[in-house]
């Protein structure tokens, strides 16, 4: 049986710097012996003194870890792909339980064990544990995004439960960050939730956002929307934005240098002109659609796969059941990301929008 074997970077000095080598064997055990014969020194890396594969090395056959198959006795067939994945500094080896939990990811070539470890190592900040933040947080947690920061200073209200799936009936009156933390712990103990029980403001936004890889915005007011936009641009963090109103939702991704929310809407509407969800209402399921799209975009950014929703505004009309897209271009006159910017630091957003950092209802 000739199989292709992926050699990780730390071992490539033993394989002439090749990341893929061909080898043979009827089983994984035979293959590892043959690799050891082909490449002196490699066997010592793959086995410990007890002649066992050490715990810091995972062996995958077609993206399935051999502990979930038949271990060293796992049979190989022509054309199989074997990958040797050791723990690397800051990385982590998937436990057998994680290999099972994330098996539907691990068997996908676009994710695989390496992608799953990227997800487990990723840090996503969710602004607002409301309508949009709820499905985004739940799906990111289920997917195994290892660290979820949640910014919210509200308490759960009965009227939230029509759509905010992070919170349950018994949570009414609890701080949303606490309720979110309990729910996520039940869903996936792999996920560490970092609660930020404070409003996001010009004073703390840069410090909080700079701790994360990707920001998912689910805040339902213009002051926070401009604040998060500016803070993500200034810190160079990708922003996955979403908005909902009545039966319509919007989603977009902003990456510094490729346009921002201010390129699209240079100024907020006058206060009171566009009502928020608390004033006008929102279909309960709608944030589930938009928040899930935000979670997908965040995962794509972490894995570096697919076509990001960057440079496009996706509009979902639930009544017509239609998705539409409009192009967003970087505006050279944008005061933040344009050629001659006038905004170099965070400003007074409540004054700019004529409205407060209202509840993160969503
Ligand atoms: Zn801009």
């Amino acid at each position: 049986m000739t199989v292709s074997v992926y050699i990780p970077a730390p071992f490539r000095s033993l394989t002439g710097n090749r990341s893929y080598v061909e080898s043979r064997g009827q089983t994984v055990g035979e293959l590892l012996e043959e690799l050891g014969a082909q490449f002196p020194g490699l066997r010592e890396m793959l086995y410990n003194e007890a002649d066992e594969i050490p715990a810091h090395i995972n062996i995958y056959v077609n993206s399935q870890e051999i502990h979930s198959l038949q271990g060293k006795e796992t049979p190989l067939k022509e054309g199989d792909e074997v990958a040797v994945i050791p723990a690397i500094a800051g990385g982590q080896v998937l436990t057998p339980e994680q290999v099972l939990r994330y098996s539907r990811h691990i068997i996908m070539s676009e994710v695989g064990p390496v992608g799953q470890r990227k997800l487990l190592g990723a840090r996503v900040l969710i602004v607002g544990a409301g309508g949009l933040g709820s499905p985004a947080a739940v799906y990111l947690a289920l997917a195994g995004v290892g660290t979820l920061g949640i910014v919210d200073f509200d308490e759960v209200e009965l009227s939230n439960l029509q759509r905010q799936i992070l919170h349950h009936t018994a949570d009414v009156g609890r701080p949303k960050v606490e309720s979110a933390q309990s729910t996520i712990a039940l869903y996936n103990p792999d996920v560490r939730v970092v609660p930020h029980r404070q409003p996001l403001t010009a004073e703390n936004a840069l410090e909080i956002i700079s701790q994360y890889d990707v920001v998912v915005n689910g805040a339902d007011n213009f002051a926070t929307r401009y604040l998060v936009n500016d803070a993500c641009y200034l810190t160079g963090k990708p922003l996955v934005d979403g908005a909902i109103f009545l039966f319509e939702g919007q989603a977009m991704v902003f990456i510094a240098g490729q346009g921002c929310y201010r390129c699209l809407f240079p100024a907020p509407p006058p206060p009171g002109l566009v009502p928020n969800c608390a004033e006008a209402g929102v279909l309960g399921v709608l944030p589930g659609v938009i928040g899930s799209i935000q979670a997908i975009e965040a995962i794509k950014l972490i894995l570096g796969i697919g076509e990001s929703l960057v440079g496009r505004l996706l509009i979902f009309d639930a009544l017509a059941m239609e998705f539409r897209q409009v192009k967003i271009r970087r505006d050279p006159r944008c005061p933040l990301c344009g050629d001659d910017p006038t905004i170099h630091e965070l400003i007074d957003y409540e004054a700019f929008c004529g409205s407060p950092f209202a509840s993160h209802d969503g």
Side-chain angles (χ1 to χ4, degrees):
M1 293 312 127
T2 305
V3 299
S4 161
V5 185
Y6 171 77
I7 302 293
F11 299 169
R12 277 179 212 155
S13 59
L14 303 170
T15 60
N17 276 325
R18 281 186 292 160
S19 49
Y20 286 91
V21 300
E22 302 262 295
S23 194
R24 5 184 92 251
Q26 304 288 334
T27 63
V28 168
E30 284 181 29
L31 174 78
L32 297 182
E33 293 299 334
E34 179 63 26
L35 278 173
Q38 279 174 275
F39 304 104
L42 191 55
R43 192 183 189 288
E44 288 69 26
M45 307 303 259
L46 301 175
Y47 285 93
N48 60 20
E49 297 89 15
D51 220 31
E52 295 290 339
I53 299 169
H56 70 274
I57 289 183
N58 283 4
I59 310 274
Y60 296 87
V61 176
N62 301 330
S63 296
Q64 272 199 283
E65 218 281 327
I66 58 169
H67 284 108
S68 69
L69 301 169
Q70 295 165 51
K72 279 194 290 184
E73 303 309 316
T74 303
L76 295 172
K77 57 184 192 308
E78 191 76 26
D80 275 349
E81 286 191 5
V82 175
V84 177
I85 311 286
I88 47 176
Q92 80 194 102
V93 175
L94 298 177
T95 63
E97 192 181 311
Q98 288 175 323
V99 169
L100 270 182
R101 176 184 284 273
Y102 305 115
S103 56
R104 299 301 186 277
H105 271 164
I106 290 171
I107 58 175
M108 292 167 76
S109 60
E110 294 82 357
V111 186
V114 174
Q116 190 59 52
R117 280 175 38 192
K118 275 190 197 166
L119 291 171
L120 285 163
R123 305 170 58 88
V124 175
L125 181 69
I126 295 171
V127 181
L132 294 170
S134 282
V138 167
Y139 272 118
L140 291 173
L142 294 176
V145 169
T147 303
L148 289 179
I150 298 183
V151 191
D152 202 298
F153 64 100
D154 279 345
E155 276 138 31
V156 179
E157 292 176 29
L158 193 56
S159 64
N160 300 151
L161 302 185
Q162 164 248 24
R163 63 199 177 284
Q164 300 184 11
I165 59 171
L166 271 176
H167 316 297
H168 302 102
T169 305
D171 295 320
V172 170
R174 275 180 95 189
K176 283 190 178 177
V177 287
E178 273 183 26
S179 162
Q181 199 164 16
S182 314
T183 302
I184 290 169
L186 287 171
Y187 270 122
N188 189 350
D190 284 347
V191 179
R192 187 172 70 102
V193 172
V194 182
H196 300 277
R197 197 185 167 200
Q198 52 197 314
L200 199 69
T201 66
E203 284 69 47
N204 63 20
L206 294 177
E207 194 260 326
I208 293 176
I209 285 175
S210 61
Q211 301 168 36
Y212 294 89
D213 306 318
V214 177
V215 176
V216 171
N217 185 23
D220 184 28
N221 65 80
F222 285 104
T224 306
R225 193 169 304 284
Y226 281 94
L227 166 65
V228 172
N229 177 70
D230 294 1
C232 285
Y233 178 78
L234 293 172
T235 52
K237 303 292 180 175
L239 166 60
V240 183
D241 211 345
I244 44 171
F245 180 65
L246 299 174
F247 293 96
E248 189 166 300
Q250 300 180 347
M252 61 218 109
V253 173
F254 297 114
I255 290 175
Q258 299 182 57
C260 76
Y261 189 73
R262 287 178 183 273
C263 295
L264 188 61
F265 299 112
L273 189 71
V274 180
N276 61 26
C277 293
E279 292 156 355
V282 60
L283 184 70
V285 188
L286 181 68
V289 175
I290 301 298
S292 300
I293 288 172
Q294 289 179 275
I296 290 175
E297 288 302 311
I299 287 174
K300 282 163 59 185
L301 287 168
I302 294 164
L303 296 176
I305 59 171
E307 303 267 326
S308 182
L309 193 55
V310 73
R312 296 180 281 157
L313 168 63
L314 182 70
I315 302 163
F316 172 56
D317 179 340
L319 277 188
M321 198 45 79
E322 273 182 0
F323 283 93
R324 259 168 273 189
Q325 287 189 32
V326 294
K327 280 211 159 58
I328 306 174
R329 286 200 182 79
R330 176 179 160 274
D331 181 355
R333 293 161 306 167
C334 174
L336 180 69
C337 76
D339 295 339
D340 193 13
T342 54
I343 299 171
H344 303 285
E345 56 189 18
L346 299 181
I347 61 169
D348 182 342
Y349 294 88
E350 296 186 312
F352 174 65
C353 295
S355 62
F357 292 117
S359 117
H360 290 139
D361 225 17

